[in-house]
Amino acid sequence: LLLAVALSLCVAPVAFAHEGSHTYTAELAALNGSGASGTATVTVDGNQATVDIQSSGHVPNAPHAQHIHIGGQNVCPPASADTDGDGLISVAEGEPFYGGIQVSLTTSGDVSADSAMAVDRFPVADASGNVVYSRTFTLPSGVTADDIANGVVVQHGVDANGSGTYDGPASPAGPPVEATLPAVCGKLAEVTMPDTGGVSPMALLTGGGAALIVLGAAVGYLARRRTA
Ligand SMILES: [Cu+2]
């Protein structure tokens, strides 16, 4: 019975253990008529980040560069971002809105801005155009957990001319412009859950209530034993 009391009192400390962890999600919506969509979840604890992305409708069998952009207005670009009027929002036209590349969501190795177009280390969409990504990594130096709270997740790669693959004019970085065009974009927003946002009053009440119930049962049991 004393063990049960001790265990029930442990409810509150368990909540404390998650105090430093923050979870953010983004609904990824299509840009540039890609027809793609998805969701991204980012959990940050100190300088450790775990990123999960599931998206669909992408150019099949093609790599999709993906980043956390931070800066600008920390939002996804509106249609009016297409300042040159070519009908497409280029990486540069989007930058005043979603900011620069701060984290490259690669499948292995470096995750800094240096890997912005490391095409051989980005996820490749399957034959149906699905991209599934999951990785835990150390945030690049200079990027803090607070920065991630302002982050915008962008996946790139659009078959703008409908040829079935990336082709056409080359971008300054080397790959075709199509490989760099933003395909989906989503602003990260914090998920508030009782077990990740510190200790809520309800958690304390629940823990304390459970302890009182167990204590009451213990007292009752001892009283009955004494009577017997
Ligand atoms: Cu990007």
Side-chain angles (χ1 to χ4, degrees):
L1 282 166
L2 284 175
L3 180 66
V5 172
L7 283 175
S8 66
L9 287 172
C10 283
V11 169
V14 165
F16 274 113
H18 293 277
E19 204 175 25
S21 169
H22 295 269
T23 298
Y24 307 89
T25 60
E27 291 300 317
L28 305 176
L31 284 176
N32 291 317
S34 69
S37 63
T39 58
T41 305
V42 181
T43 297
V44 181
D45 195 346
N47 66 352
Q48 294 294 301
T50 297
V51 178
D52 288 281
I53 300 177
Q54 294 181 327
S55 54
S56 57
H58 284 293
V59 181
N61 305 312
H64 290 273
Q66 50 182 21
H67 317 107
I68 300 176
H69 289 246
I70 302 168
Q73 300 176 32
N74 296 308
V75 298
C76 291
S80 60
D82 174 24
T83 49
D84 69 3
D86 69 349
L88 296 167
I89 298 169
S90 68
V91 171
E93 287 172 330
E95 198 160 318
F97 298 91
Y98 50 52
I101 294 163
Q102 296 294 332
V103 182
S104 297
L105 300 172
T106 55
T107 53
S108 65
D110 176 63
V111 293
S112 76
D114 294 342
S115 296
M117 282 307 290
V119 179
D120 55 337
R121 289 187 291 115
F122 283 116
V124 176
D126 69 14
S128 302
N130 300 310
V131 173
V132 177
Y133 175 80
S134 183
R135 190 179 176 193
T136 298
F137 54 84
T138 303
L139 288 172
S141 63
V143 178
T144 68
D146 287 345
D147 292 334
I148 299 300
N150 293 317
V152 173
V153 175
V154 181
Q155 288 182 309
H156 302 261
V158 178
D159 177 20
N161 62 9
S163 67
T165 186
Y166 301 145
D167 51 17
S171 65
V177 170
E178 286 189 342
T180 72
L181 289 171
V184 294
C185 179
K187 167 79 176 77
L188 289 169
E190 183 156 14
V191 179
T192 49
M193 291 185 292
D195 64 340
T196 57
V199 181
S200 72
M202 274 308 295
L204 285 174
L205 281 174
T206 307
L212 281 176
I213 289 166
V214 174
L215 264 174
V219 168
Y221 173 78
L222 289 172
R224 279 196 302 279
R225 269 184 68 98
R226 192 164 292 174
T227 306

